[in-house]
Amino acid sequence: MTRANSSEESSSKDNEESSTAAGPKRADGTPMAPEEIQQLEQLKQTDREVRQHEMAHQVVGGPYAGGASYDYEAGPDGKRYAVAGEVPIDYGPVPNDPQATIEKMQTVIAAAMAPADPSPKDYQVAAQARQYLLEAKLEAAMLRSEMEQARSAGAATNSSTAESPTSVPSTSVSSTDEQAA
């Protein structure tokens, strides 16, 4: 019986060692403690969330978004995990082109708010872009109004010169006609 017990103990020790050996290891190759495993899982989750957040900005921001940069933390396994990130975005107005500014700001707002969980900085960028958007819409409306006024004035000038080449007002002709009658 001692042989059976010793072989059972031996296979039980082998199973423990192989299950421990299969788990996460530190940078030096030794098995991690449960707290370290928990920390590693949290770092992996944070890394996924940070990368997804920044990728959302990049995809929606298109030509106005730059490359992502990350802040890293070393895990108990010796690998680096992203714990914060940033994507630069050009959210300045387009000089002398309100329509281009409107289109750009719509893209910038969408990019800032693209992640599932926008950060305070994301809200700040979106708010500034909304301000530029409103200013550009006002400028575009003023330009349209000026153009319409210029067209109306041009049309009135063209029609009055076509109707009376002698520049005599039609009201004086009417009053003359009344006196003759």
Side-chain angles (χ1 to χ4, degrees):
M1 263 177 93
T2 53
R3 270 189 187 186
N5 283 343
S6 71
S7 68
E8 283 177 21
E9 285 177 20
S10 167
S11 74
S12 144
K13 283 182 184 177
D14 289 344
N15 286 340
E16 285 176 25
E17 287 176 10
S18 66
S19 68
T20 305
K25 297 190 185 308
R26 293 185 191 101
D28 64 5
T30 60
M32 287 185 198
E35 307 83 44
E36 292 173 313
I37 294 171
Q38 185 178 9
Q39 179 191 13
L40 180 62
E41 291 306 313
Q42 182 59 48
L43 282 170
K44 286 180 179 180
Q45 177 66 24
T46 300
D47 183 89
R48 278 190 298 274
E49 290 170 0
V50 166
R51 291 179 189 278
Q52 287 173 350
H53 181 105
E54 302 311 330
M55 180 63 73
H57 288 313
Q58 286 181 301
V59 168
V60 178
Y64 307 117
S69 61
Y70 299 100
D71 294 334
Y72 296 95
E73 186 176 309
D77 60 354
K79 294 180 183 174
R80 293 176 359 141
Y81 296 91
V83 293
E86 180 177 87
V87 170
I89 189 154
D90 172 10
Y91 61 94
V94 178
N96 304 317
D97 193 343
Q99 190 56 43
T101 297
I102 290 168
E103 292 168 14
K104 180 180 179 180
M105 292 308 117
Q106 290 169 336
T107 300
V108 168
I109 293 165
M113 302 310 291
D117 58 338
S119 70
K121 177 70 174 171
D122 297 338
Y123 284 110
Q124 183 182 8
V125 168
Q128 182 61 59
R130 282 187 189 98
Q131 181 64 38
Y132 289 144
L133 175 66
L134 290 174
E135 291 170 6
K137 284 182 175 183
L138 179 62
E139 184 180 350
M142 288 172 50
L143 286 173
R144 277 193 301 274
S145 177
E146 288 172 7
M147 291 181 79
E148 287 172 12
Q149 287 176 351
R151 283 188 195 132
S152 296
T157 302
N158 287 340
S159 66
S160 68
T161 56
E163 289 176 11
S164 55
T166 60
S167 300
V168 176
S170 60
T171 54
S172 66
V173 172
S174 297
S175 74
T176 309
D177 286 345
E178 286 178 14
Q179 290 174 355

